[in-house]
Amino acid sequence: MGDIIKLRSNDSLRSVVAGLGESSRDKMATTYYGQQYLDDYQLLNIYRSNWLGRKIVEIPVMDAIRKGRDWQAKAKQIEKIEAEQNRLGLSQKLVEAKIKARLWGGAAIYIGTADRELSDPLDPKRIDKGGVLYLTVLSRREVIAGPIEYDVSSEFYGKPAYYDVIGVRSMVRIHPSRMIVFIGSHHADSAIVFGQNQGWGDSVIEHIYSAMKNADATAANIASLVFEANVDVFRIPNFMSGLADPTYQQRLLDRFSLAATAKGINRSLILDKEEEYERRQVTFSTLPEVMQTFLQMAAGAADIPVTRLLGQSPAGMSSTGESDLNNYYDRISSIQTLELTPALYRFDECLIRSALGNRPAEIFYTWAPLKQMTEKEKADIANLNAETADILATTGLFAPEELRKVVTNQLVETNFYPGLDQAVAESDEKGLFKPGQPAGTVAKDPTVRPDTRITADAEPKSLYVSRSVLNAGDIIDWAKAQGFATTLPADDLHVTVIYSPTAVDWMQAGQDAWNDDGTLMIPPGGPRVVSQFGQGAIVLEFASAALSWRHEELKRIGAEPTYPQYSPHITFTYQPGDVDIANVEPYRGAIEFGPENFAEVKSDWAEGVVEQ
């Protein structure tokens, strides 16, 4: 029975012909996995002197923390919480702690309070305003983890029961609830780990060390080959037999020294008739692919896309690297959700109380998205949101006050109009908002709603609605500063609200008056982009919910614009010259528009375009 068991335990794929699985012939038969232990000095040297190792340690940390957290609360509460974070230097401390955790295997942030008995648990409910005094980052090398807690009824089961920090004069024992603990690379089972890493984890360098070392070694060998790119080969009669004579050796050295000197002076090589000379050149045609393969293996081991790790553009036809970055951002989101959020839970409870003096139950946060949208994408999304809100308002399913709150929250959460919530609150306090009409409009007769006005029919005509730019000089000065030689005259700068060759009844359009004098002001900032429409017009695109809503309102009375997608813009020149549109910094200042101008569509409008 024992022989049968032995036979089964050694059962594997074998081949007598190929020698597969035979220890005496098959090299793979002696292969096994062992631990590659790196001591602290080796880890330090890698971090200080190896660019690949340093980037692998730092990049995921920077990406996980750089965008911060979006707190969901009242504006004043958010200001106080963010101010408390800045006072404590939370972002910098998180970056430092996570980098040390990934490098050394573990790190912690000590939450400094006024408590004297640090071995007792930290109770967040006892934290008053300003109760969190400071944060101190401690690496695994500065903290001694206590024995593992094996009481299943403890919330710290499987973790150290306490931490000892060696101070200048004595050792301080700290309860784990007072520490924000981060682990580098988690152990599969802490029970089989001994020594300095017990209670912590491994360095992330450990499992990528082989791939990283192979990439470095390959790069070093390629660099050495550069010096051997050209090899001079000389064939000398009776060379080996002559080496036995010391005099011959010296004459040989003198001979080639003279030949090298002559070659350096007049680019000619003088040889004896019996001598032969040949230059052999080493080819490097396949080395870039070899180097790229090893770098890809290192990037795969580190779970970082090559485009992010090396800072290079995606390779291959039609390759954008979008899917690689999306997968990487998902991984960073996992770090935020599965590592940072649980580690920060108890501290966040203290942070909110330290900032506000209490703990409102409705306050929470989300991690800010990592993907960066272009100004054009932000403007397109804003237009779609504006159209959706306008359609919902038209259906009558929601009261204006309800939509006002929802749209305001949407614009604030997306950071599209910073400070909009405060502006809306101030308008409500002053009574400037009237349901059914734009904010800031004072109805001539408060008993008559603007959307119930009665208009007389008129003869349908094509419709071209525009607004002149009142501060056109500012935009012209900006365009000239960006390198545009000529621009349209100030009187010609305008924004088109709608351009409809289709005839409509003008009287049904009503009047769009955002201010008493009919003007409209676009505040500074927000999404802006300079684009080229077709082969001609150079325009400044910007986002404006007011213009987008007005455009849709005119479409509902029958106007049919030439272009289905509406994007508010100002055409400022048709002659870009040598200016690279992609590098133009958009105009960021306020834009002031005059009242709406109604006119019929003119097909020959381009003939009157003159620049100056």
Side-chain angles (χ1 to χ4, degrees):
M1 184 67 180
D3 293 338
I4 296 176
I5 295 176
K6 182 178 180 180
L7 177 61
R8 289 180 177 176
S9 64
N10 291 327
D11 189 20
S12 63
L13 178 64
R14 296 176 181 271
S15 172
V16 177
V17 176
L20 181 65
E22 297 293 336
S23 60
S24 60
R25 299 179 59 186
D26 184 12
K27 296 179 180 179
M28 285 297 295
T30 61
T31 302
Y32 69 97
Y33 290 99
Q35 182 182 9
Q36 175 65 58
Y37 179 74
L38 300 174
D39 60 31
D40 290 349
Y41 291 102
Q42 289 175 295
L43 293 174
L44 179 61
N45 290 335
I46 291 173
Y47 184 72
R48 293 183 61 185
S49 60
N50 184 272
W51 67 272
L52 193 57
R54 190 182 187 104
K55 293 187 74 171
I56 289 173
V57 170
E58 290 184 349
I59 284 178
V61 177
M62 297 296 184
D63 288 340
I65 299 174
R66 61 183 169 87
K67 298 294 289 184
R69 304 185 286 182
D70 293 332
W71 288 94
Q72 306 299 316
K74 296 179 180 179
K76 293 183 179 180
Q77 292 175 330
I78 294 176
E79 290 178 1
K80 292 180 179 180
I81 293 175
E82 291 180 345
E84 190 71 1
Q85 289 183 152
N86 294 335
R87 180 183 70 83
L88 296 171
L90 178 61
S91 297
Q92 295 87 340
K93 300 296 175 65
L94 285 177
V95 169
E96 182 183 353
K98 282 294 292 180
I99 287 177
K100 289 183 176 180
R102 288 175 61 83
L103 177 60
W104 302 116
I109 301 178
Y110 169 66
I111 306 173
T113 64
D115 296 341
R116 294 185 177 181
E117 198 58 49
L118 303 184
S119 59
D120 292 339
L122 174 62
D123 184 4
K125 296 180 180 179
R126 297 178 55 191
I127 300 296
D128 297 325
K129 189 170 184 179
V132 179
L133 304 181
Y134 56 87
L135 300 175
T136 302
V137 177
L138 302 167
S139 73
R140 182 262 299 161
R141 302 177 67 254
E142 301 169 293
V143 180
I144 301 175
I148 302 300
E149 177 64 73
Y150 288 110
D151 182 4
V152 294
S153 63
S154 173
E155 66 170 302
F156 300 102
Y157 173 80
K159 300 178 181 179
Y162 56 83
Y163 294 93
D164 287 334
V165 178
I166 301 176
V168 178
R169 298 180 180 178
S170 61
M171 184 175 64
V172 180
R173 179 154 296 177
I174 301 176
H175 193 272
S177 62
R178 299 180 181 272
M179 305 281 266
I180 307 172
V181 180
F182 298 109
I183 303 298
S185 183
H186 287 267
H187 295 141
D189 189 348
S190 59
I192 63 175
V193 178
F194 303 97
Q196 62 183 9
N197 277 2
Q198 186 172 10
W200 300 103
D202 290 328
S203 170
V204 297
I205 299 294
E206 294 275 358
H207 70 274
I208 63 173
Y209 179 69
S210 296
M212 185 181 70
K213 186 172 63 174
N214 290 339
D216 274 345
T218 303
N221 279 286
I222 292 176
S224 297
L225 286 176
V226 173
F227 296 97
E228 302 293 334
N230 293 305
V231 179
D232 293 335
V233 179
F234 292 89
R235 293 184 178 90
I236 303 172
N238 303 319
F239 174 72
M240 295 303 296
S241 59
L243 287 177
D245 184 4
T247 304
Y248 178 82
Q249 294 182 20
Q250 185 59 45
R251 290 174 60 191
L252 187 66
L253 293 176
D254 294 340
R255 167 74 182 85
F256 285 108
S257 296
L258 179 61
T261 303
K263 183 179 179 182
I265 295 175
N266 53 26
R267 290 187 172 181
S268 60
L269 183 62
I270 303 173
L271 296 176
D272 190 272
K273 183 178 180 179
E274 301 298 328
E275 294 177 336
E276 295 181 16
Y277 168 74
E278 179 185 356
R279 167 163 287 190
R280 294 182 180 178
Q281 186 173 4
V282 178
T283 177
F284 297 98
S285 58
T286 60
L287 290 182
E289 288 77 9
V290 174
M291 186 71 248
Q292 187 69 17
T293 299
F294 280 101
L295 287 174
Q296 287 176 346
M297 293 176 65
D303 204 5
I304 302 175
V306 175
T307 52
R308 179 70 180 92
L309 181 62
L310 305 183
Q312 68 180 33
S313 301
M317 295 182 62
S318 303
S319 177
T320 62
E322 187 74 14
S323 59
D324 292 343
L325 283 179
N326 286 338
N327 292 335
Y328 172 65
Y329 288 153
D330 287 342
R331 188 225 171 188
I332 296 300
S333 179
S334 299
I335 293 176
Q336 295 171 337
T337 305
L338 303 179
E339 296 181 22
L340 291 174
T341 298
L344 290 170
Y345 172 75
R346 192 183 302 270
F347 165 75
D348 287 335
E349 294 296 309
C350 298
L351 173 68
I352 295 173
R353 290 176 170 85
S354 182
L356 306 179
N358 56 6
R359 176 54 169 104
E362 67 274 9
I363 295 180
F364 69 99
Y365 71 85
T366 57
W367 290 96
L370 292 175
K371 186 174 181 179
Q372 303 287 336
M373 289 191 297
T374 64
E375 299 289 342
K376 177 68 174 176
E377 290 173 336
K378 292 179 182 178
D380 291 342
I381 292 175
N383 286 334
L384 292 175
N385 291 338
E387 293 174 4
T388 302
D390 192 38
I391 293 173
L392 292 175
T394 304
T395 62
L397 294 175
F398 303 97
E401 295 85 351
E402 295 172 339
L403 279 177
R404 176 180 168 87
K405 292 180 180 179
V406 172
V407 173
T408 299
N409 290 336
Q410 183 184 56
L411 294 175
V412 171
E413 290 179 6
T414 58
N415 202 31
F416 191 79
Y417 283 131
L420 179 63
D421 49 348
Q422 292 94 333
V424 169
E426 293 175 1
S427 298
D428 291 339
E429 290 178 1
K430 297 178 181 179
L432 299 178
F433 173 68
K434 304 295 181 182
Q437 66 183 25
T441 301
V442 180
K444 301 301 181 181
D445 184 356
T447 63
V448 179
R449 286 171 53 114
D451 55 359
T452 60
R453 60 182 179 272
I454 300 176
T455 58
D457 292 338
E459 180 182 356
K461 295 180 290 185
S462 61
L463 178 60
Y464 171 46
V465 180
S466 63
R467 285 177 178 267
S468 299
V469 181
L470 299 182
N471 61 331
D474 296 338
I475 297 179
I476 291 176
D477 291 342
W478 156 81
K480 294 294 180 66
Q482 294 295 320
F484 293 96
T486 62
T487 64
L488 296 175
D491 294 341
D492 288 347
L493 295 191
H494 65 278
V495 62
T496 298
V497 182
I498 201 162
Y499 186 91
S500 172
T502 303
V504 296
D505 181 3
W506 287 15
M507 299 307 295
Q508 294 184 18
Q511 184 177 3
D512 187 51
W514 284 78
N515 296 315
D516 291 340
D517 56 358
T519 60
L520 173 67
M521 197 273 285
I522 307 300
R528 306 279 180 93
V529 62
V530 175
S531 307
Q532 183 170 5
F533 283 6
Q535 300 297 323
I538 309 301
V539 305
L540 170 67
E541 293 187 79
F542 58 93
S544 171
L547 292 172
S548 298
W549 288 337
R550 180 58 169 163
H551 177 83
E552 294 298 321
E553 184 180 14
L554 295 175
K555 284 172 61 177
R556 284 195 295 273
I557 69 171
E560 298 181 2
T562 306
Y563 299 100
Q565 185 66 33
Y566 178 68
S567 176
H569 64 274
I570 300 171
T571 302
F572 60 88
T573 185
Y574 289 89
Q575 301 176 12
D578 298 331
V579 178
D580 185 359
I581 305 301
N583 294 328
V584 174
E585 176 65 22
Y587 174 74
R588 301 290 184 184
I591 306 175
E592 301 175 17
F593 292 112
E596 287 184 340
N597 300 315
F598 280 64
E600 292 189 67
V601 171
K602 295 181 180 181
S603 58
D604 59 347
W605 60 269
E607 298 178 2
V609 174
V610 177
E611 299 201 16
Q612 61 185 17

